[in-house]
């Protein structure tokens, strides 16, 4: 695979989010972390308001599991990842709570070694 694996994960999941999504991918130790948010355009009085942040962590174990597979098994893994992202974030409430409410942390999803076993 000539493409960096972290960039590849981003390319796989990007279509599930708005076109204006800001996606930041980074390494955290041996894990891959993808953070996503986007500008909300539903309140003209608050033009810089952003969505709740989504944080997807693909653990070292899941990465090793993926890399140990043949091409066909990787395709099954990738299909499972896309299905999980769609199910989890397809109806995502992007709005942050009003100011003064308890702060909401990022909506986090951990992809562990056994999360997408096929």
């Amino acid at each position: 695979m000539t493409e960096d694996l972290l960039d590849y994960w981003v390319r796989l999941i990007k279509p599930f989010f708005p076109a204006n999504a800001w996606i930041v991918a980074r390494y955290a130790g041996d894990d891959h972390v993808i953070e996503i948010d986007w500008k909300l355009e539903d309140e003209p009085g608050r033009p810089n308001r952003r969505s709740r942040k989504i944080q997807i962590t693909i653990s070292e174990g899941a990465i090793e599991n993926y890399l140990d597979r043949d091409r066909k098994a990787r395709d099954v893994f990738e299909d499972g990842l896309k299905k999980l992202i769609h199910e989890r974030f397809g109806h995502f409430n992007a709005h942050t709570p009003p100011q003064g409410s308890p702060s909401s942390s990022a909506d986090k999803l951990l992809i562990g070694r056994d999360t997408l076993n096929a």
Side-chain angles (χ1 to χ4, degrees), residues 37-55:
D37 71 335
W38 55 92
K39 191 173 181 180
L40 297 173
E41 299 175 353
D42 59 344
E43 285 188 43
R46 296 177 64 194
N48 295 319
R49 192 174 122 178
R50 299 198 67 79
S51 69
R52 287 180 32 221
K53 188 173 292 263
I54 294 170
Q55 183 181 61

Side-chain angles (χ1 to χ4, degrees), residues 32-86:
H32 292 171
V33 178
I34 302 167
E35 295 176 326
I36 306 155
D37 71 335
W38 55 92
K39 191 173 181 180
L40 297 173
E41 299 175 353
D42 59 344
E43 285 188 43
R46 296 177 64 194
N48 295 319
R49 192 174 122 178
R50 299 198 67 79
S51 69
R52 287 180 32 221
K53 188 173 292 263
I54 294 170
Q55 183 181 61
I56 300 167
T57 301
I58 304 172
S59 73
E60 174 186 17
I63 295 164
E64 289 172 356
N65 190 2
Y66 176 82
L67 292 174
D68 288 343
R69 294 173 178 220
D70 62 20
R71 182 68 250 166
K72 185 174 180 179
R74 285 184 182 185
D75 289 343
V76 171
F77 184 97
E78 292 164 10
D79 289 343
L81 175 63
K82 291 187 279 189
K83 181 179 178 190
L84 179 62
I85 296 297
H86 175 72

